[in-house]
Amino acid sequence: MIVAMQSGATREEIHAVCAVIEQSGMRAVEIPGGDRVAVGVASAIPADLRPVLTERLSAMPGVDRVTQVSRAYKLASREFHPTDTVVECSGVRIGGREVVLIAGPCAVENPDQMARAARAVREGGARIMRGGPFKPRTSPYSFQGLGAEGVRLLVEAARSEGLLTICEVMDEGDVEQCADVDILQIGARNMQNFRLLMAVGRSGKPVLLKRGPVATIDEWLLSAEYILCQDNPNVVLCERGVHPVDRTYTRYTLDVAAVQVAKHLSHLPVIVDPSHAAGDWRYVQALARAGVAAGADGIMVEVHPDPAAALCDGPQALRPEKFLELASELRAIAAAMDRPLA
Ligand code: PEP
Ligand code: MN
């Protein structure tokens, strides 16, 4: 439910509307919008209360009209937040005019690998370095990541090149170990791990939320809502490929249209991960170019100094020289869209 106030409604009238909503046990959110403020109800409204509340709010001084919101997510919706959200992290802005590059290996393996990767990431013009200390692997016998030591190596390598950091967390314990990491990533497998979503929400750090491979866009935005309703507005959506019709040649299918659909429904920034969608380095560059052309606010790509020796996702990792090539292609595509690379 959204209560549109008349232009010129007073602060007292707006507060009175919020108070009525809150007295009914629901959350009121002020939605700024030029000369007219609106108040959104960011809670589920019991069916029996809806007509009574609509009537009561419609009759209040300063209220123009009360409209019903059709979607289950509220804080994530454009209806509640008409302007684009820009997630700001130590001077890097995701969701503004600039297209942001995030790059690095799938997993943190050792200091030499991280130092070489960090150099390539910086030379390509990326501002944020990725690298997983906690890896969600299909087999329990596969490399699971270095844990706390991996966090330390990621932060050290990135800082020495002046880069920010992002890594995936799989449980609340991981969140605690990531105090020095700038952005927390929720992996595709954990998109609906609701306790984890609330934990990263409470951390207050920016969160990159990957779309699950079989998740609808509404489910993805409801997962974002879990983070937002912990009073953490810094959520970045990441499309990373959905379950494919043909798994023979690519791992997933990049849902290119999802970039604009998510932007239409939501104010949150959207980035594209071409690496996990492709699963094969040969196709990563093309998918990254498609992501920027489709209007993504950033690209997160896997880069490894020696993909053949990688402990995780080697087949989809770009070598440093391929990453440099990709970065210059993305710069040109972004420029054609009047968007500089950050
Ligand atoms: C990753 O980013 O390394 C990863 C595991 O990605 P996803 O969650 O998209 O599979
Ligand atoms: Mn990976």
Side-chain angles (χ1 to χ4, degrees):
M1 180 182 287
I2 292 181
V3 184
M5 304 300 295
Q6 293 161 358
S7 64
T10 64
R11 284 314 309 164
E12 290 69 35
E13 288 166 343
I14 296 165
H15 283 152
V17 164
C18 293
V20 164
I21 293 166
E22 276 155 10
Q23 279 153 19
S24 313
M26 288 172 287
R27 182 169 169 189
V29 177
E30 245 187 72
I31 309 169
D35 63 328
R36 279 159 59 97
V37 169
V39 178
V41 181
S43 306
I45 304 171
D48 55 340
L49 187 59
R50 190 179 286 277
V52 187
L53 190 63
T54 304
E55 198 176 324
R56 172 131 189 241
L57 291 168
S58 305
M60 289 183 74
V63 171
D64 179 12
R65 74 201 124 80
V66 177
T67 53
Q68 308 302 327
V69 173
S70 47
R71 301 183 201 285
Y73 45 87
K74 301 171 195 301
L75 302 175
S77 76
R78 272 241 183 244
E79 287 161 303
F80 266 58
H81 194 294
T83 57
D84 287 346
T85 282
V86 177
V87 172
E88 189 146 8
C89 185
S90 304
V92 178
R93 290 160 53 83
I94 310 177
R97 246 189 89 231
E98 294 179 331
V99 175
V100 176
L101 257 184
I102 305 172
C106 181
V108 178
E109 298 168 7
N110 59 64
D112 177 61
Q113 169 236 17
M114 291 305 284
R116 290 162 69 198
R119 200 173 317 127
V121 168
R122 197 246 314 138
E123 283 171 3
R127 302 290 306 276
I128 305 169
M129 182 176 191
R130 61 155 290 151
F134 312 103
K135 293 308 303 177
R137 303 306 299 275
T138 303
S139 164
Y141 306 118
S142 299
F143 177 60
Q144 302 286 311
L146 298 178
E149 172 66 0
V151 174
R152 198 180 64 73
L153 293 179
L154 169 67
V155 171
E156 197 175 279
R159 280 193 186 153
S160 70
E161 299 290 347
L163 302 164
L164 301 181
T165 49
I166 179 169
C167 76
E168 176 169 356
V169 287
M170 294 202 293
D171 63 27
E172 285 199 58
D174 295 352
V175 176
E176 283 164 25
Q177 303 210 48
C178 284
D180 293 336
V181 174
D182 299 297
I183 305 173
L184 303 179
Q185 175 178 324
I186 296 296
R189 288 156 192 81
N190 275 313
M191 189 205 85
Q192 287 190 313
N193 182 337
F194 303 117
R195 293 269 162 83
L196 180 60
L197 296 174
M198 290 190 271
V200 295
R202 286 192 302 270
S203 78
K205 287 182 187 279
V207 178
L208 180 86
L209 175 66
K210 289 212 180 183
R211 178 183 179 189
V214 292
T216 64
I217 291 175
D218 283 346
E219 287 165 343
W220 187 21
L221 294 176
L222 278 166
S223 290
E225 189 83 9
Y226 265 93
I227 302 168
L228 296 170
C229 72
Q230 299 299 315
D231 274 333
N232 184 343
N234 301 311
V235 177
V236 178
L237 301 168
C238 176
E239 161 61 36
R240 47 76 75 197
V242 291
H243 199 72
V245 173
D246 185 350
R247 265 202 128 126
T248 321
Y249 307 105
T250 58
R251 213 170 153 190
Y252 295 94
T253 298
L254 184 68
D255 185 355
V256 179
V259 173
Q260 285 304 318
V261 175
K263 282 184 160 291
H264 173 67
L265 298 172
S266 177
H267 51 92
L268 297 172
V270 183
I271 74 158
V272 159
D273 170 351
S275 303
H276 292 85
D280 182 329
W281 66 271
R282 289 173 190 81
Y283 312 126
V284 167
Q285 277 173 254
L287 296 190
R289 294 191 301 256
V292 173
D297 297 299
I299 296 292
M300 180 163 80
V301 63
E302 288 188 344
V303 176
H304 195 290
D306 184 7
L311 298 179
C312 185
D313 284 350
Q316 70 198 30
L318 294 184
R319 294 176 182 286
E321 61 274 19
K322 281 282 166 201
F323 174 60
L324 293 188
E325 191 179 296
L326 173 63
S328 85
E329 290 170 351
L330 297 184
R331 196 163 287 116
I333 294 171
M337 299 169 72
D338 199 25
R339 296 185 77 174
L341 221 59

